[in-house]
Amino acid sequence: MRAYIARRLLLLVPTLIGLSILIFAVLQVFSPVERAALYIRDPKAAKNIGAIIRKYHLDAPLYVQYFTWLSEVLHGNLGWSKSVNMPVSEAIKTFLPATVELVAFSIPLTVIVGIYLGVISATHKDKALDHATRALAIAGWSLPSFWLGLVLISIFYGGLKIFPPGRLSTEHSIVVNSPGFIRYTGMNTIDALLNGNLEIFLDALQHLILPTITLTTINIALIVRIMRSGMLESLSKNYVLAARAKGLPEKVVINKHARRNALIPVITVSGLLTAGMLSGVVITETVFNYHGIGYWAANAATQLDIPAVLGFAIFTGLLFIFANLIVDLLYAYIDPRIRLE
């Protein structure tokens, strides 16, 4: 097991180098003047573009530019984001907690309910319950997120005046941004609990309900289909037949023998799904006016905020690399065969 983990960690090095080279190659599309924005820590420094170009060797050979740029990135300098008027690294820290909070509510529901429905569908193969579950999965996967979001807003906020968009009501936003409210994580629900403010916690929870329902409804379909396929394959294996021949209860056969092996492909999808959500659920965050990292990245792109877009690309690349690492380590935990490699 330790040898397997060590090999996976060693493989991170060439992967990270490859990611940095790829992003640097994209940078070469822009002129030295445009690339100078990546090294601006203060917008006032933009007046001395020529000095910045010389200081950071933007007219030097490519290998010199690469190592200069990489050194800045490793020190956390990703440039100035004009779309939000702050450094890119600070913008990521500011907007990421909102997305993490949304994902923290959406992913557990998606995975747990998806696995449950997938198991139910597989164990009732070709019966009414199976057909109903598959139909719901296909319908959910087919729904455009922007359409579902708008429908939910129209019904619950427009019609029933509940579950508003955004992250907090105006009066609670003032409290949260006041000196008396301590920001521990940037996530409203957790910070409200840590500050002992139940009213803000409930308000933040209300604002999370509709975007969580949107993400769960659409993504749960994928988990259901993969879990169902994995369960059907597991149920046909010899070890399941042997377990049944021993007289084990059907519940034990399904939960202990079949389901555990069927979880392996689900883990892969869930890991990548989580990374995808953390890198910004752009449409959902935009529809619900939810100011997460996807909302910021979309605005940065529309305003041609190059440092912000490239900083977001670096963040997303790192996120998927480490998500794959975690998925591989979970493989080794669930499947004993991998531990022996």
Side-chain angles (χ1 to χ4, degrees):
M1 183 68 169
R2 291 180 180 176
Y4 176 77
I5 294 173
R7 286 200 306 271
R8 292 298 297 125
L9 291 174
L10 285 174
L11 284 173
L12 279 182
V13 177
T15 306
L16 291 171
I17 293 173
L19 173 66
S20 67
I21 292 173
L22 181 61
I23 292 176
F24 176 76
V26 174
L27 278 175
Q28 302 313 302
V29 174
F30 305 102
S31 67
V33 173
E34 292 172 316
R35 279 184 276 128
L38 297 170
Y39 302 95
I40 295 175
R41 294 183 176 87
D42 188 332
K44 296 178 181 178
K47 299 176 183 178
N48 302 314
I49 292 292
I52 292 174
I53 291 174
R54 290 190 297 272
K55 180 180 178 181
Y56 293 103
H57 314 293
L58 296 179
D59 51 359
L62 286 179
Y63 72 91
V64 176
Q65 293 186 47
Y66 171 73
F67 286 111
T68 303
W69 169 78
L70 186 60
S71 174
E72 292 296 315
V73 169
L74 292 175
H75 284 86
N77 178 25
L78 302 174
W80 184 269
S81 174
K82 66 179 182 181
S83 59
V84 288
N85 200 32
M86 65 175 70
V88 172
S89 55
E90 186 179 333
I92 293 173
K93 293 177 184 177
T94 301
F95 290 99
L96 181 59
T99 301
V100 171
E101 186 174 31
L102 179 57
V103 173
F105 280 88
S106 302
I107 281 294
L109 278 174
T110 301
V111 175
I112 293 171
V113 178
I115 289 173
Y116 175 77
L117 292 178
V119 171
I120 293 295
S121 180
T123 52
H124 294 79
K125 184 176 181 293
D126 295 331
K127 295 181 181 179
L129 191 56
D130 179 32
H131 294 311
T133 304
R134 287 160 62 192
L136 287 173
I138 293 170
W141 186 248
S142 303
L143 290 175
S145 57
F146 71 89
W147 179 85
L148 180 58
L150 290 173
V151 168
L152 291 175
I153 288 177
S154 300
I155 295 173
F156 290 98
Y157 183 62
L160 302 176
K161 305 300 179 185
I162 57 175
F163 306 145
R167 292 191 67 198
L168 280 174
S169 302
T170 305
E171 62 271 20
H172 290 138
S173 294
I174 295 172
V175 175
V176 165
N177 294 316
S178 66
F181 191 91
I182 303 174
R183 276 296 200 181
Y184 294 98
T185 64
M187 293 180 273
N188 293 329
T189 50
I190 294 176
D191 288 348
L193 290 175
L194 292 175
N195 280 271
N197 195 319
L198 187 60
E199 189 177 345
I200 291 179
F201 170 77
L202 293 175
D203 183 51
L205 208 58
Q206 273 193 322
H207 286 76
L208 279 165
I209 288 175
L210 292 187
T212 299
I213 290 174
T214 301
L215 291 175
T216 302
T217 301
I218 292 170
N219 292 310
I220 204 172
L222 180 61
I223 303 296
V224 171
R225 291 173 66 84
I226 292 173
M227 189 64 194
R228 180 182 182 275
S229 299
M231 278 296 295
L232 289 175
E233 184 179 353
S234 292
L235 288 170
S236 65
K237 296 293 185 181
N238 290 331
Y239 57 81
V240 172
L241 297 175
R244 283 174 172 160
K246 290 177 183 178
L248 292 177
E250 187 66 12
K251 189 174 182 180
V252 174
V253 172
I254 291 171
N255 293 335
K256 186 176 180 181
H257 295 277
R259 187 174 63 180
R260 183 164 184 172
N261 287 281
L263 283 174
I264 294 177
V266 174
I267 288 173
T268 304
V269 173
S270 299
L272 296 178
L273 189 62
T274 303
M277 285 189 183
L278 286 174
S279 65
V281 277
V282 176
I283 296 175
T284 302
E285 290 182 355
T286 303
V287 168
F288 289 99
N289 193 32
Y290 190 90
H291 291 196
I293 197 166
Y295 181 92
W296 164 67
N299 283 340
T302 57
Q303 296 181 41
L304 297 179
D305 188 351
I306 296 171
V309 172
L310 288 173
F312 178 72
I314 293 171
F315 167 75
T316 302
L318 291 174
L319 194 60
F320 274 94
I321 287 172
F322 285 103
N324 274 303
L325 173 64
I326 293 171
V327 165
D328 286 345
L329 296 181
L330 285 174
Y331 271 177
Y333 174 75
I334 290 177
D335 191 344
R337 294 170 297 181
I338 297 177
R339 301 181 202 175
L340 300 176
E341 292 180 2

